[in-house]
């Protein structure tokens, strides 16, 4: 027989210490105290900052290239040398316009006025480019029929033969390099954005794995005590989301400040090439998407990593 | 409560640790699990707490075939068990109090009830002064008692204790055994794996002896005649 | 008395298994198997890649701004409208040159020839900009005395009064914006490089801390068994250096490929603005410094973090 | 070998676990360290293996005042000790063999000698089949034996064993005690902390009894008369 007596476990005896004294419960997974809680927000901030810059840079390069490109695709320019006086110049332009409108493949023509021309040349010739007295070549914008690529055959030769003072200009030769440079920059920006995304996912997987490994014993114990997978996954997910949000906001603000400063620089000078690089409302909107995106990536990656690991437990 | 039907267990490609164990533990029964070091006592308990799946055979717990349970059901079933692990497995960043409160939190007990139950139980095992101590600051025997308190605090239907008295002296060991006895009297099915022959001899409970991968039941009378 | 007899521990009995069978020794700290071994190289590669792009971009922007700047600092341009014929134009230019050389603060003057002018305007006017027949304003480059800032007082007024066809042009107005834009880009590039450095250090601290925390028990045990601090620190340091080297090389190659591709794009078109953005030998050298730098940062950060933690052990 | 002079130990701001312990363990002596759970046995051993600094008093080891030792000297001194931790502390990713070989590697032993010494010792403690097993795949008692093998393999001058038989049955416990006896006969100073009164009673060694923070020496004769 087992010995009995006074040594019976307690039954209904009131607790020694006042109830409620220990009610504030610590989390069973102290993820918020992990080293990652100090690391992750900063790394995410850095990544969001980078993604922000790359995004706006890429969109700017895209706009620039598109502007040049759309200005050039299906377009030609014909220069007409100014004659000895305005009358002669006008006659020459009239001849060229007649020839062009009669040509196959030409949809429309437009003579650039003095102001448009001046704006084009201002950075090089200064304000005087607008002066009436400066004899400039006349420029005629030619829009080709949709589907027509390059110079319609024979056009250049006919122009040269009939009006020697006119010269056909296929911009591609000059702006092509600029456009491919802008497109390259755009590609690099895209690559940086993609890499930032990959780095975020990679980091989240690593941080989560590390958390799983640091807290492996606790997690296994919780599992054996009947905790559900989603209970554990939820803690990791929430933690990752919180840290990513914090980092994302910091990164957003940093990127916003830098871009705002850049815009001020661009606007303070009136250079013609640059405005398309400064952020537009669309850019600002794209920026605002980054922190929620970071949070979503963080939460989903953490959840997925944890659940994948937990299903290995019996 | 627990029914094993020709159950075998091997780890990976290793030899069979348990081979063809057939047994039935009645609800409310109390068994000692004995056997040499390495005989498979912990492995047997691991089967019962769903920490390992049998390699073959059928294991019924609470009247249900565990092989047919989903993840959710297994989690719920685990909550009806209390387990004392041979290596304690306390959560290092939680105090003794919080460790013991954990099973109650998992089933959603009221904070007030948690507070009184946990404090009371820890006082009973002699740790009234250590409620706010982290496991690392407790002695080996104190940790073991916290582990035991955590296993019994939820008044589980099935209590599995693996070497629960290896780090305490005989006086405390007896005190802990009274706790298990009390649970048993209140209807809990108890299995205690132990090397402590003195302890086994003092109680009138049948033994399950693991030897060569099979389980042999030694009734209480024969056991009492034998080593005790 | 303690029982004795057969149960005596072994003394000189030969070992059962052939000696040497287990000689290959695993590391006592399996850092190479940690999750960080798969994460760190990729993150470092990404960071080195970024640093590489930012570095070359920053150096390019710097060169560009410096070229514009040195071209402009202490320089003015005077435009002279072409007259009705070459003779008239020449007279006007002569007058302007006389006036300029007589002015205080002017060091030297140079008339841009047709070819220089054509190169400047080519992207806008096409090849015809070189044609003799096109009447273009003459440009005179004015170099000011060292120390003279801006337009010498009275010069603009005298020019305007004496030769109305001449027009003084202070480039700062047009290129100033471009230059501050380039300087801003350079600042951003510098910021990115600095941030990459910070991110690398932060990552290394985190990864090392994590390693310390994952292997805490092993490290404490090694310490209690008499292992020296530098034995443990050496393993972390070596591991970090190896991973950083691997990542640094990958990042270097990636950055190199991208920059090489960009250079090809730039060289394939002959645009006048761009060449200074393509990497120079100095840039390539700066790139080559990045991987060793990453390795050094990694090794030192790891060592410092470990030693700082270990000294807390008794 | 070990000399304590009014040594006290407290953890952080807690109460004194040891208060004014004065003792002298001769080289080549063998002592059992006994006392209730929480009396401070592990803490006492922690002082001796330089795992904790005394809060006050003087501790001499190997004839040197440990307070005056540099980090380097403390590391070297630790290599002359073998320690069996109450919680084993095996390295999880190393096999039983590699765990035991560790102290030999640290002192730069020849691989050939390591191989034979380690295999032999593990066979002796009954683990000839488990040389390549990772700790997690060993039973509690098997892990404990690996921990003991690791402590003795380097033939240390000072052997500190904390509850080395808590997870094994009496037969294996005796076998392990013979190992300690053998070390003792070869000149090692041995201190074994244990709750196992049966074991203590079987051997003719003086006991150090910890009670209320002080140490009391109970000579072998008195001890043998008493509980044994
Ligand atoms: N996870 C595992 N993987 C492989 N083998 C294992 C594993 N766990 C246990 N074993 C092996 O199974 C056998 C039984 O181990 P178990 O822990 O069940 O023994 P035990 O009876 O509890 O012993 P002890 O009394 O020493 O705790 C041992 O030989 C052990 O090496
Ligand atoms: N790191 C620590 N920080 C604070 N308190 C500690 C620490 N380690 C031990 N203690 C306290 O010191 C006292 C003695 O602990 P110790 O582990 O030395 O006891 P013990 O005699 O080994 O007990 P057992 O037989 O249960 O292992 C205990 O009350 C314990 O709570
Ligand atoms: Mg066991
Ligand atoms: Mg102890």
């Amino acid at each position: 027989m087992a010995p009995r007596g006074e040594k019976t476990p307690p039954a209904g005896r009131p607790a020694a210490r006042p109830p409620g004294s220990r009610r504030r419960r610590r989390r069973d997974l102290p993820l918020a105290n992990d080293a990652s809680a100090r690391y992750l927000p900063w790394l995410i901030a850095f990544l969001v900052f980078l993604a922000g810059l790359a995004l706006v840079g890429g969109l700017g390069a895209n706009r620039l290239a598109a502007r040049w490109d759309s200005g050039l695709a299906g377009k030609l320019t014909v220069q007409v040398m100014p004659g000895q006086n305005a009358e002669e110049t006008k006659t020459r332009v009239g001849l060229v316009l007649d020839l062009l409108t009669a040509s196959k493949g030409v949809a429309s023509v437009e003579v650039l006025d003095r102001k448009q021309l001046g704006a084009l040349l201002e950075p090089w010739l200064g304000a005087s480019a607008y002066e009436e007295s400066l004899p400039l070549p006349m420029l005629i914008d030619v829009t080709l029929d949709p589907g027509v690529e390059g110079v319609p055959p024979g056009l250049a030769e006919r122009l040269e033969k009939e009006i020697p003072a006119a010269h056909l200009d296929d911009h591609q030769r000059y702006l092509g390099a600029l456009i491919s440079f802008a497109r390259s920059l755009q590609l690099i920006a895209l690559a940086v954005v993609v890499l930032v995304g990959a780095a975020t996912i990679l980091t989240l997987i690593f941080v989560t794995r590390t958390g799983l490994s640091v807290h492996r014993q606790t997690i296994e114990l919780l599992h054996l005590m009947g905790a559900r997978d989603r209970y554990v996954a939820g803690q990791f997910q929430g933690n990752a989301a919180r840290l990513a949000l914090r980092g994302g906001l910091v990164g957003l603000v940093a990127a916003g400040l830098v871009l705002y400063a850049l815009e001020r620089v661009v606007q303070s000078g009136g250079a013609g090439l640059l405005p398309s690089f400064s952020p537009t409302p669309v850019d600002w909107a794209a920026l605002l998407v980054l922190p929620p995106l970071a949070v979503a990536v963080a939460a989903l990656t953490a959840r997925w990593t944890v659940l994948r690991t937990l299903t290995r437990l019996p | 409560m627990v029914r094993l039907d020709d159950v075998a267990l091997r780890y990976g490609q290793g030899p069979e640790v348990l081979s063809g164990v057939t047994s039935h533990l009645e609800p409310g029964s109390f068994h000692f699990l004995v056997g040499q070091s390495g005989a498979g006592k912990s492995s047997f308990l691991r089967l019962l707490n769903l920490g390992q799946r049998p390699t073959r055979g059928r294991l019924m717990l609470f009247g249900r075939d565990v092989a047919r349970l989903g993840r959710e059901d297994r989690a719920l079933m685990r909550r009806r068990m209390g387990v004392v692990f041979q290596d304690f497995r306390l959560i290092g960043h939680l105090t003794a109090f919080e460790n013991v409160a954990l099973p109650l939190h998992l089933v959603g007990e009221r904070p007030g009830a948690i507070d009184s139950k946990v404090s009371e139980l820890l006082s009973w095992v002699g740790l009234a002064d250590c409620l706010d101590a982290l496991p690392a600051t407790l002695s080996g025997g104190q940790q073991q008692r916290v582990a035991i308190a955590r296993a019994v605090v939820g008044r589980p239907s099935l209590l599995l204790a693996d070497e629960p008295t290896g780090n305490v002296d005989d006086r405390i060991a007896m005190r802990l055994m009274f706790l298990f006895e009390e649970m048993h009297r209140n209807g809990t099915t108890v299995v205690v794996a132990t090397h402590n022959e003195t302890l086994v001899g003092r109680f009138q409970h049948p033994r399950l002896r693991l030897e060569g991968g099979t389980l042999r039941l030694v009734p209480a009378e024969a056991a009492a005649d034998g080593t005790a």
Side-chain angles (χ1 to χ4, degrees), chain A residues 2-14:
Chain A
R4 294 270 157 78
E6 287 188 338
K7 291 182 169 179
T8 319
R13 188 159 50 84

Side-chain angles (χ1 to χ4, degrees), chain A residues 35-36 38-39 42-43 46-47 49-50 53 79 81-82 120-128 131 134-135 137 169 173-174 177-178 180-181 184 188 192 195-196 199 202-203 206-207 209-210 213-214 258 262 265-266 269-271 273-274 277:
Chain A
S36 61
R38 292 224 296 267
Y39 167 72
W42 290 112
L43 196 81
F46 173 62
L47 291 174
F49 172 74
L50 272 183
L53 293 193
Q79 290 173 43
M81 294 299 148
L120 217 53
L121 296 179
E122 189 191 353
W124 278 258
L125 296 183
S128 57
E131 281 171 34
L134 181 69
D169 196 0
R173 265 187 19 240
Y174 310 108
L178 274 177
S180 34
F181 184 69
S184 304
I188 291 178
V192 168
L195 285 176
V196 163
L202 196 69
T203 302
F206 169 62
V207 165
R209 282 252 187 92
T210 293
S213 144
V214 169
V258 166
L262 208 60
V265 166
V266 165
L273 273 171
L274 298 179
F277 254 115

Side-chain angles (χ1 to χ4, degrees), chain A residues 129-159:
Chain A
Y130 294 103
E131 281 171 34
E132 280 295 331
S133 59
L134 181 69
L136 284 177
M138 301 298 295
L139 292 185
I140 301 169
D141 257 5
V142 181
T143 307
L144 299 174
D145 280 337
V148 177
E149 287 285 327
V151 184
L155 184 57
E157 294 74 28
R158 275 198 356 251
L159 256 183

Side-chain angles (χ1 to χ4, degrees), chain B residues 130 133 136-143 145 167-168:
Chain B
C130 305
T137 71
L138 292 175
S139 80
Q142 289 165 342
Q143 289 178 29
R145 284 177 271 163
N167 285 271
V168 295

Side-chain angles (χ1 to χ4, degrees), chain A residues 83-304:
Chain A
Q84 294 295 358
N85 50 49
E87 204 54 44
E88 188 182 348
T89 307
K90 208 167 172 187
T91 315
R92 284 185 189 170
V93 169
L95 283 173
V96 172
L97 289 180
D98 288 349
L99 188 149
L100 284 172
T101 43
S103 289
K104 244 184 87 173
V106 172
S108 67
V109 293
E110 189 200 352
V111 181
L112 291 191
D113 64 23
R114 192 90 206 169
K115 221 173 117 211
Q116 288 168 298
L117 207 56
L120 217 53
L121 296 179
E122 189 191 353
W124 278 258
L125 296 183
S128 57
Y130 294 103
E131 281 171 34
E132 280 295 331
S133 59
L134 181 69
L136 284 177
M138 301 298 295
L139 292 185
I140 301 169
D141 257 5
V142 181
T143 307
L144 299 174
D145 280 337
V148 177
E149 287 285 327
V151 184
L155 184 57
E157 294 74 28
R158 275 198 356 251
L159 256 183
E160 206 174 332
K161 216 180 68 194
E162 299 184 16
I163 310 132
H167 183 85
L168 183 78
D169 196 0
D170 173 4
H171 307 228
Q172 225 73 38
R173 265 187 19 240
Y174 310 108
L175 285 183
L178 274 177
I179 290 177
S180 34
F181 184 69
R183 291 270 174 236
S184 304
L185 286 184
Q186 196 188 339
L187 220 73
I188 291 178
L190 184 71
V192 168
V193 171
V194 167
L195 285 176
V196 163
T200 308
I201 291 178
L202 196 69
T203 302
L204 258 298
I205 290 180
F206 169 62
V207 165
T208 307
R209 282 252 187 92
T210 293
L212 284 170
S213 144
V214 169
H215 302 292
R216 190 175 53 80
Q217 292 178 345
T218 303
I219 290 168
E220 277 176 18
L221 178 77
L222 287 174
H223 178 73
L224 284 180
M225 284 172 70
R228 292 189 180 89
D229 290 353
R230 62 168 186 271
Y231 173 77
V232 173
Q235 296 194 41
F236 276 91
Q237 186 183 359
N239 184 58
R242 260 188 306 279
L243 298 179
L245 180 64
R246 217 184 297 161
L249 290 180
V250 171
L252 178 72
V253 168
L257 286 179
V258 166
L259 291 173
Y260 178 73
L262 208 60
E263 198 183 3
R264 293 300 300 264
V265 166
V266 165
Q267 284 183 344
S268 73
L273 273 171
L274 298 179
S276 46
F277 254 115
S278 79
T280 65
V282 173
D283 293 5
W284 291 115
L287 274 189
L288 283 178
V289 170
L290 288 178
L293 201 67
V295 169
V297 166
L300 290 179
T301 308
R303 181 178 196 84
W304 174 80

